[in-house]
């Protein structure tokens, strides 16, 4: 400490200056700009030529600093070197009156910066936890050398600077990871949008093109849509295409399979449940609320009970729902898409489906045709699935051998596009080389479709009774399997067969799956 204390006026002046610097530091969030600001303010505060902040790179045991104010050039050296290294490593203030006569002075820095150092004052910079984050150095006092009062001012400034620097570093890291996440997110959205854009629906024929055009036409409206079609015809795919091309694309798409819900759980699953309704029951958010702002896709809506239908109708009409055990209605904004493979009009006639709900959900109706009605699309679809396989497995160049496509087009496909997709994936996975040969089809491909309609066949004289019965059996099995979504147990029941009986017949007719 220098003899005598600082005159009151100087003390006030310096304290006011430090406060002012602190304010400026706290409003600067960019690390580069902050380091420049601190260095500039330090030269004014201490009446010296230069000031540099050296930050500690603990992993590499190095100190680094910008070469000069405003420059992006970085100086790096071993953290124990030089006067600044001594201050950082020992935590002690180092005040050197004649740099070139001090053995700790690291002349290479002057060499690199082209600056001639006369005297140096360096202090360690510590964060609030007392850890060293670097050192603060001032060079060449305008008149004379640095005093012990200068040491105090620099220490005071360094302790505030350390906190501001750490905050700026943290904010920088957060910004970087936020940018990274935003980039990843944008990339994922592009993927999802590509995958489910209306054009993700493959098909050039009239039936599929009509669907694509309809999806495009309703892209800006939020009408409810009913999608019908057999199992595996692309109902869910169409629902996603509608959602992801709509203004709600970046809000949730929530799919719920109503057929998989036991009657006792329907209400709590759809609308949620209030905590404490029964012992040990926690609050649960229902699917309607999860889809708030987005789209709720009710798959197999024809399987909902009448009481659940009534509740859904109420949400659609009043746009509010009540949780099980809840007292206050909750406002929701949900676009409803529904799908079924049942004939809802027949269900209405039986009294199993509410007519008013039917008209609410069927503002637009999309019917997905079974694959046997759009055989012309099979080559395009099969090639699309093969390409998808190649892309996903990183095995390019797989192709269908001639003749394979003819067989694929002729097959009965009771499981529709899903079955075709599975078949192509299986063939691709089993193909020994780059070509999928006709022999590979033998094992798994369903038997070829009858060349003529059974009605005509039965009437035709060319077929024996045995052949006609076989054709009829084959067709009924195919239909029963399609209607039960390939559930052999249920299909067998419908046909009045045992499961084993059905399997035997499927084997006889080479209808694997
Ligand atoms: N026209 C199409 N273009 C491209 N892929 C299709 C097409 N139709 C169906 N698919 C594909 O077929 C598979 C089955 O479709 P999806 O699951 O949407 O059928 P689904 O009608 O909902 O069946 P389920 O009634 O069994 O639930 C999916 O992989 C889907 O991408
Ligand atoms: Mg589905």
């Amino acid at each position: 400490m220098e003899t005598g204390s600082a005159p009151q006026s100087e003390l006030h002046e310096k304290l006011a200056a430090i406060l002012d610097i602190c304010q400026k530091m706290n409003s600067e969030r960019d690390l580069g700009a902050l380091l420049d600001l601190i260095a500039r303010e330090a030269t004014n505060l201490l009446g010296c030529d230069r000031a540099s902040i050296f930050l500690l790179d603990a992993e590499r045991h190095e100190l680094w600093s910008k070469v000069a104010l405003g420059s992006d050039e970085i100086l790096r050296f071993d953290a124990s070197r030089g006067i600044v290294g001594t201050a950082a490593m020992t935590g002690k203030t180092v005040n050197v009156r004649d740099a070139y006569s001090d053995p700790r002075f690291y002349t290479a820095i002057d060499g690199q910066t082209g600056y001639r150092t006369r005297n140096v004052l360096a202090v360690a910079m510590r964060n609030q936890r007392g850890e060293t984050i670097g050192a603060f150095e001032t060079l060449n006092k305008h008149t004379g050398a640095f005093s012990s009062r200068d040491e105090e001012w620099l220490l005071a400034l360094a302790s505030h600077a350390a906190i501001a620097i750490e905050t700026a570093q943290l904010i920088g890291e957060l910004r970087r990871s936020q940018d990274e996440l935003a980039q990843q997110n944008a990339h994922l959205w592009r993927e999802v949008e590509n995958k489910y854009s209306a054009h993700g629906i493959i098909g050039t024929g009239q039936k599929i093109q009509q669907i694509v055009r309809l999806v495009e036409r309703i892209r800006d409206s939020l009408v409810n849509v009913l999608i019908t079609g057999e199992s595996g015809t692309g109902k869910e795919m169409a629902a996603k295409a509608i959602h992801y091309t709509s203004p709600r694309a970046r809000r949730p798409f929530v799919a719920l399979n109503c057929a998989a819900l036991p009657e006792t759980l329907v209400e709590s699953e759809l609308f949620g449940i209030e905590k404490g309704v029964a012992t040990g029951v926690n609050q649960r958010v229902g699917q309607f609320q999860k889809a708030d702002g987005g789209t709720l896709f009710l798959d197999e809506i024809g399987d909902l009970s009448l009481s659940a239908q009534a509740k859904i109708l109420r949400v659609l009409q009043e746009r509010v729902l009540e949780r099980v055990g809840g007292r206050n209605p909750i406002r929701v904004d949900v676009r409803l898409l529904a799908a079924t493979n049942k004939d809802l009009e027949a269900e209405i006639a039986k009294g199993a489906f509410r007519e008013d709900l039917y008209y609410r959900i069927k503002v637009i109706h999309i019917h997905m045709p079974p694959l046997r009605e759009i055989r012309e699309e099979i080559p395009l679809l099969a090639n699309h699935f093969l390409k998808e396989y190649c892309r996903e497995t990183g095995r390019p160049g797989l192709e269908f051998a001639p003749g394979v496509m003819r067989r694929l087009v002729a097959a009965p496909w009771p499981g529709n596009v899903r079955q075709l997709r599975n078949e192509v994936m299986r063939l691709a996975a089993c193909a020994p080389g780059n070509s999928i040969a006709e022999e590979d089809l033998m094992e798994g491909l369903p038997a070829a479709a009858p060349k003529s309609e059974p009605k005509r066949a039965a009437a035709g004289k060319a077929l024996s009774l045995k052949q006609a019965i076989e054709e009829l059996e084959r067709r009924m099995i195919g239909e029963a399997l399609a209607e039960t979504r390939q559930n052999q147990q249920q299909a067998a029941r419908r046909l009045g067969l045992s499961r084993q009986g059905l399997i035997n017949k499927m084997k006889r007719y080479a209808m694997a799956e």
Side-chain angles (χ1 to χ4, degrees):
M1 193 70 189
E2 217 172 43
T3 47
S5 54
Q8 285 293 313
S9 59
E10 191 199 338
L11 194 66
H12 277 151
E13 203 182 294
K14 294 280 188 198
L15 283 176
I18 290 188
L19 264 178
D20 179 53
I21 301 171
C22 283
Q23 236 166 12
K24 287 183 189 155
M25 286 194 302
N26 289 336
S27 50
E28 183 55 73
R29 296 292 182 229
D30 176 73
L31 182 63
L34 178 68
L35 294 175
D36 285 351
L37 174 111
I38 300 171
R40 207 167 34 240
E41 296 293 342
T43 55
N44 292 336
L45 187 76
L46 295 187
C48 67
D49 225 16
R50 281 194 177 197
S52 307
I53 289 151
F54 291 83
L55 293 180
L56 181 66
D57 179 342
E59 246 169 59
R60 293 162 68 167
H61 191 69
E62 282 177 346
L63 285 168
W64 67 270
S65 168
K66 287 184 171 188
V67 168
L69 267 183
S71 111
D72 283 332
E73 204 183 326
I74 298 288
L75 189 70
R76 258 183 185 277
F77 53 90
D78 186 279
S80 324
R81 293 205 85 146
I83 288 167
V84 76
T86 311
M89 290 301 110
T90 62
K92 294 203 175 101
T93 301
V94 186
N95 190 348
V96 175
R97 284 166 180 269
D98 178 11
Y100 279 82
S101 65
D102 193 302
R104 292 168 298 184
F105 183 59
Y106 184 30
T107 48
I109 299 183
D110 269 9
Q112 208 170 327
T113 58
Y115 183 76
R116 172 87 188 170
T117 305
R118 280 185 284 112
N119 45 43
V120 187
L121 173 60
V123 298
M125 280 200 303
R126 292 207 180 85
N127 63 17
Q128 274 168 312
R129 295 180 299 282
E131 299 152 348
T132 300
I133 66 154
F136 201 161
E137 181 188 69
T138 49
L139 303 179
N140 294 1
K141 181 90 179 166
H142 287 152
T143 45
F146 292 103
S147 67
S148 55
R149 239 175 274 135
D150 289 330
E151 292 175 16
E152 281 178 12
W153 298 132
L154 189 60
L155 270 173
L157 184 61
S159 67
H160 289 291
I163 296 167
I165 288 169
E166 251 203 346
T167 308
Q169 280 175 323
L170 204 64
I171 288 174
E173 266 166 44
L174 283 175
R175 282 208 181 119
R176 270 190 299 281
S177 56
Q178 199 182 16
D179 284 354
E180 232 169 74
L181 281 177
Q183 266 180 11
Q184 278 175 5
N185 205 17
H187 174 75
L188 287 175
W189 273 117
R190 271 197 300 280
E191 292 246 305
V192 169
E193 280 161 1
N194 285 342
K195 190 155 180 188
Y196 294 114
S197 69
H199 309 289
I201 304 175
I202 304 284
T204 52
Q206 208 199 348
K207 282 192 173 154
I208 295 293
Q209 277 307 302
Q210 254 174 3
I211 294 170
V212 169
R213 277 200 300 275
L214 190 56
V215 170
E216 279 174 353
R217 226 176 316 135
I218 59 172
R219 72 189 312 158
D220 295 323
S221 81
L222 292 173
V223 286
N224 297 336
V225 183
L226 176 66
I227 307 164
T228 56
E230 288 174 18
S231 177
T233 47
K235 295 187 294 298
E236 182 155 353
M237 176 196 64
K240 285 183 175 161
I242 294 169
H243 171 76
Y244 286 109
T245 50
S246 81
R248 303 190 159 214
R250 297 197 171 191
R251 306 287 301 161
F253 174 87
V254 177
L256 184 68
N257 185 349
C258 304
L261 280 180
E263 178 54 33
T264 48
L265 289 185
V266 171
E267 247 191 277
S268 59
E269 189 64 31
L270 281 171
F271 308 117
I273 192 162
E274 215 50 75
K275 191 178 160 79
V277 167
T279 352
V281 167
N282 285 327
Q283 192 193 52
R284 210 170 57 216
V285 173
Q287 304 294 338
F288 258 100
Q289 227 181 325
K290 282 190 193 156
D292 198 18
T295 302
L296 178 62
F297 174 53
L298 289 183
D299 207 357
E300 313 287 358
I301 197 168
D303 290 28
L304 275 183
S305 69
L306 283 167
S307 71
Q309 292 173 28
K311 289 185 177 118
I312 289 178
L313 183 67
R314 187 166 164 240
V315 181
L316 293 182
Q317 283 168 339
E318 295 169 24
R319 309 210 153 261
V320 292
L321 58 84
E322 261 162 43
R323 286 190 180 155
V324 177
R327 291 201 194 94
N328 302 321
I330 300 169
R331 184 151 288 280
V332 284
D333 164 28
V334 169
R335 190 229 196 130
L336 192 79
L337 301 177
T340 181
N341 54 15
K342 282 192 175 168
D343 175 355
L344 287 187
E345 288 183 6
E347 296 296 306
I348 293 170
K350 276 197 286 180
F353 202 85
R354 291 182 67 118
E355 195 170 9
D356 43 9
L357 178 62
Y358 177 65
Y359 288 112
R360 274 255 163 199
I361 60 174
K362 203 196 99 166
V363 181
I364 300 276
H365 177 201
I366 291 181
H367 179 69
M368 305 303 292
L371 192 55
R372 61 184 178 278
E373 285 177 16
I374 47 166
R375 290 185 186 280
E376 70 277 14
E377 311 288 9
I378 290 176
L380 199 64
L381 283 165
N383 275 313
H384 167 75
F385 295 137
L386 188 62
K387 272 205 213 101
E388 188 182 314
Y389 176 88
C390 292
R391 208 174 40 243
E392 278 172 11
T393 56
R395 208 183 132 190
L398 270 173
E399 282 175 348
F400 293 108
V404 173
M405 206 53 90
R406 199 165 17 88
R407 295 275 310 278
L408 289 179
V409 172
W413 302 118
N416 292 303
V417 187
R418 177 181 298 112
Q419 193 188 5
L420 172 65
R421 184 175 183 278
N422 291 348
E423 184 63 17
V424 171
M425 296 291 172
R426 186 191 69 79
L427 287 167
C430 297
N434 265 351
S435 172
I436 295 172
E438 225 174 315
E439 306 85 81
D440 301 330
L441 297 175
M442 305 297 276
E443 310 157 26
L445 189 69
K451 293 213 167 43
S452 47
E453 287 302 311
K455 251 191 282 165
R456 263 180 52 209
K461 299 214 168 49
L463 282 185
S464 69
L465 182 62
K466 187 165 170 279
Q467 281 171 319
I469 290 171
E470 279 181 358
E471 282 208 324
L472 186 63
E473 272 193 336
R474 201 185 342 225
R475 199 183 62 160
M476 286 178 69
I477 291 171
E479 285 172 358
L481 283 169
E483 276 161 19
T484 57
R485 312 175 70 200
Q486 306 300 307
N487 183 324
Q488 294 178 345
Q489 191 73 48
Q490 281 179 18
R493 211 176 309 133
R494 279 188 193 202
L495 294 164
L497 295 170
S498 68
R499 181 156 179 263
Q500 194 51 50
L502 173 67
I503 291 172
N504 292 344
K505 280 188 193 293
M506 285 170 69
K507 275 197 192 136
R508 176 157 7 116
Y509 299 135
M511 296 170 81
E513 264 218 345

